């Protein structure tokens, strides 16, 4: 790990194909004015997987990182026996993101948001003086908090007050990590609004979400784990989506793996699911629409309150954008599913019974959609199936541990005074 040299890559605008250099944290092609993702084109076309001690950075050939941070873990892929037998599938592979040391899974923040956090923070320069700003409903905040705390990176989190219980850790965090919240009753969108105000301060910069290549290529490590374990590109990829970023990343990884040449030329079908009744992308897909359909804000809030898998309640996902989820589904012949809370709960219990560990509601939604797809006869029994368990093992991790909670340094009203926000957050880091 000592002799790491920054990964070499260029950027490519998906809509136009224009290639250009990354002059630093670029999230879009400055010459193209329509919405489009940019992708990294890595100098190394064949992935050379590094030893296990490298953690997530064992996949650094295809991560846009300048440095390697401490404490990361890679996803773990294994061939399912219990769930596979139950479903009558001969080649079901589970990629587990979370905490389950018995299979070698050691993500202590328990979700695949850790893959993006290590990748994003490794993209930033070691001498970056500005404060990274991340708005989140929970899992993302916990992942970034751990990475930044362990590696002494300045981080400002914006999390709704109602969600701060999600910020549990097994040890106190380094004070370089600060939390602000919007008042009770505020949701993820209020937290985003608050973080946008904080970003008006010159000393702060935005993580960038799905537009950040580091975020997507971090999540793509789930597929790199699966394919380098299985030895081939799967036929199907199952994941529950809120933004769809992980599924877009899976498709991008698939294209790189075809170019690699050692894993076949297969395009895996991207099989995504949402938690009913909050299903805006499913509705757009079913209407064969690239544009999201109108979704009344009050109804969206109510629907988001009903669903178990709160991490799936994104109202402005990168669905329509060039290179986004709509394109990923079209290009791969993918499908969209929905699962109710009842289906997801049953699937979580089944997973626990058959695979031995607790999983999050979102992973339960993905498992339920696999169960439904098999029941509907959509999956051949000898097909190679990758089930992305995006998060799990939280109960397992917490067993017998005393937890420490990150508390907000400041709680703002839902309509804060913009100047006051900037002043307050600047003072936190001085
Ligand atoms: C964020 C999250 C998802 C949704 O991921 P996207 O690809 O961003 O839609 C699914 N499961 C878990 C556990 C998550 O934390």
């Amino acid at each position: 790990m000592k002799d790491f040299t920054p990964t070499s890559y260029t950027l490519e605008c998906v809509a136009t194909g224009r290639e250009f250099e990354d002059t630093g944290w670029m999230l879009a092609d400055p010459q193209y004015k329509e919405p489009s993702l940019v992708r990294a084109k890595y100098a190394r076309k064949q992935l050379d997987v590094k030893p296990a001690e490298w953690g997530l950075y064992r996949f650094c050939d295809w991560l846009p990182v300048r440095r390697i941070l401490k404490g990361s873990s890679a996803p773990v892929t294994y061939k399912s026996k219990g769930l596979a037998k139950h479903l009558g599938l001969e080649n079901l592979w589970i990629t587990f993101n979370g905490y389950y040391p018995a299979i070698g899974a050691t993500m202590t923040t328990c979700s695949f948001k850790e893959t993006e956090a290590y990748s994003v923070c490794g993209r930033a320069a070691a001498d970056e003086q500005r404060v990274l700003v991340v708005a989140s409903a929970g899992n993302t905040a916990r992942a970034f908090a751990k990475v930044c705390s362990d590696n002494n990176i300045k981080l400002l989190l914006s999390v709704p007050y109602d969600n701060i219980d999600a910020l549990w850790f097994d040890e106190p965090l380094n004070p370089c990590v600060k939390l602000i919240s919007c008042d009770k009753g505020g949701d993820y969108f209020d937290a985003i609004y608050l973080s946008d105000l904080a970003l008006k301060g010159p000393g702060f910069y935005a993580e960038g979400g799905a537009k950040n290549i580091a975020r997507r290529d971090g999540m793509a490590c789930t597929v790199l784990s699966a394919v380098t374990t299985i030895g081939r590109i799967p036929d199907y990829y199952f994941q529950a989506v809120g933004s769809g970023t992980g599924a877009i990343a899976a498709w991008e990884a698939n294209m790189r793996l075809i170019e690699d040449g050692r894993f076949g030329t297969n395009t895996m079908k991207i099989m995504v699911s949402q938690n009913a009744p909050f299903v805006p992308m499913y509705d757009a897909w079913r209407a064969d629409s690239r544009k999201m359909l109108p979704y009344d804000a009050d109804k969206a809030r109510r629907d988001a309150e009903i669903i178990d898998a709160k991490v799936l309640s994104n109202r402005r996902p990168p669905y329509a954008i060039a290179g986004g989820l709509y394109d990923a589904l079209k290009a791969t012949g993918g499908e969209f599913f929905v699962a109710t809370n009842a289906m997801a709960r049953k699937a979580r219990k089944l997973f626990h019974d058959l695979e031995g560990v607790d999983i999050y509601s979102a992973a339960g939604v993905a498992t339920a959609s696999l169960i439904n797809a098999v029941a509907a006869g959509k999956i051949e029994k000898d097909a190679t199936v990758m089930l992305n368990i995006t998060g799990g093992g939280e109960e397992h991790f917490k067993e017998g541990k005393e937890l420490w909670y990150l508390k907000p340094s400041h709680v703002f009203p839902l309509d804060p005074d913009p100047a006051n926000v900037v002043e307050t957050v600047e003072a936190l880091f001085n």
Side-chain angles (χ1 to χ4, degrees):
M1 270 197 260
K2 312 284 173 283
D3 51 0
F4 177 76
T5 43
T7 304
S8 178
Y9 65 91
T10 55
L11 296 176
E12 180 183 50
C13 173
V14 174
T16 63
R18 189 178 88 90
E19 262 191 67
F20 55 103
E21 293 300 317
D22 184 5
T23 53
W25 214 256
M26 296 177 92
L27 302 172
D29 180 353
Q31 292 188 13
Y32 185 67
K33 298 303 169 206
E34 302 298 316
S36 173
L37 295 180
V38 292
R39 284 187 195 137
K41 289 190 74 166
Y42 293 102
R44 258 183 189 271
K45 297 300 170 201
Q46 281 206 335
L47 179 70
D48 174 27
V49 182
K50 308 294 182 283
E53 309 87 82
W54 288 54
L56 184 76
Y57 301 103
R58 59 192 321 209
F59 302 117
C60 64
D61 284 352
W62 292 356
L63 291 172
V65 291
R66 304 188 199 203
R67 62 187 185 124
I68 280 182
L69 303 173
K70 282 191 299 196
S72 73
S73 307
V76 172
T77 303
Y78 68 97
K79 191 168 187 190
S80 164
K81 294 197 187 83
L83 185 61
K85 181 153 182 276
H86 178 84
L87 294 174
L89 293 176
E90 290 166 5
N91 293 296
L92 172 62
W93 295 78
I94 291 171
T95 299
F96 190 87
N97 297 271
Y99 187 77
Y100 191 14
I103 60 161
T106 53
M107 290 181 188
T108 57
T109 67
C110 298
S111 88
F112 79 156
K113 297 300 192 303
E114 240 186 77
T115 63
E116 59 179 77
Y118 278 102
S119 175
V120 166
C121 294
R123 186 185 181 192
D127 60 359
E128 175 64 67
Q129 296 302 312
R130 296 172 303 164
V131 178
L132 181 66
V133 179
V134 174
S136 157
N139 288 353
T140 303
R142 200 166 58 248
F144 275 88
K146 173 193 152 64
V147 177
C148 292
S149 175
D150 288 354
N151 292 280
N152 215 20
I153 296 168
K154 284 186 266 180
L155 173 70
L156 178 67
L157 295 170
S158 174
V159 176
Y161 193 84
D162 295 337
N163 295 36
I164 62 170
D165 282 355
L167 297 171
W168 47 264
F169 302 90
D170 64 341
E171 57 185 14
L173 295 186
N174 179 330
C176 64
V177 175
K178 303 285 187 205
L179 169 66
I180 55 172
S181 287
C182 45
D183 220 341
K184 292 194 184 67
D187 69 3
Y188 178 43
F189 284 82
D190 301 301
I192 292 175
Y193 177 67
L194 183 60
S195 72
D196 285 342
L197 294 178
L199 282 163
K200 297 207 190 302
F204 297 83
Y205 72 114
E207 185 265 332
K211 291 185 177 161
N212 190 334
I213 49 166
R215 182 179 268 227
R216 304 203 308 280
D217 293 352
M219 292 173 137
C221 291
T222 57
V223 173
L224 304 185
S225 160
V227 170
T228 55
T229 304
I230 303 168
R232 57 160 286 189
I233 299 164
D235 300 310
Y236 298 97
Y237 170 89
F238 279 85
Q239 191 207 310
V241 291
S243 72
T245 310
I248 298 164
W251 169 47
E252 293 173 331
N254 190 158
M255 291 190 275
R256 289 187 186 120
L257 288 159
I258 290 175
E259 225 185 319
D260 178 299
R262 292 171 296 171
F263 304 103
T265 55
N266 206 27
T267 298
M268 59 183 184
K269 291 188 160 59
I270 299 292
M271 312 291 266
V272 288
S273 42
Q274 291 200 287
N275 192 176
F278 189 97
V279 295
M281 289 195 282
Y282 168 80
D283 286 340
W285 177 252
R286 224 180 25 165
D288 198 20
S289 168
R290 176 184 283 276
K291 273 177 65 184
M292 300 281 287
L293 310 180
Y295 195 8
D296 175 73
D298 289 332
K299 179 164 165 32
R301 258 181 217 266
R302 279 199 306 277
D303 289 347
E305 267 168 38
I306 294 169
I307 62 172
D308 282 353
K310 302 286 187 231
V311 293
L312 305 182
S313 64
N314 191 312
R315 265 187 266 157
R316 282 201 279 130
Y319 173 81
I321 190 170
L325 189 65
Y326 177 85
D327 286 336
L329 294 183
K330 280 282 174 197
T332 66
E335 285 193 52
F336 229 121
F337 300 88
V338 294
T340 60
N341 284 346
M343 288 173 187
R345 287 175 197 169
K346 217 170 137 188
R348 289 172 83 185
K349 178 165 188 316
L350 191 69
F351 193 96
H352 196 292
D353 292 347
L354 299 174
E355 301 291 339
V357 70
D358 59 290
I359 58 173
Y360 283 136
S361 297
V365 167
T367 306
S369 68
L370 171 62
I371 294 169
N372 293 345
V374 170
K378 290 177 189 261
I379 312 293
E380 314 74 46
K381 78 184 197 13
D382 61 349
T384 299
V385 178
M386 171 181 169
L387 172 61
N388 189 349
I389 295 295
T390 47
E394 178 179 325
E395 288 169 23
H396 189 36
F397 178 74
K398 286 178 169 175
E399 269 161 32
K401 286 199 181 68
E402 212 172 308
L403 299 173
W404 183 91
Y405 288 85
L406 179 64
K407 296 280 187 247
S409 300
H410 200 92
V411 179
F412 291 93
L414 293 180
D415 57 343
D417 168 34
N420 176 253
V421 173
V422 173
E423 220 173 89
T424 308
V425 297
E426 277 177 344
L428 290 179
F429 289 91
N430 286 329

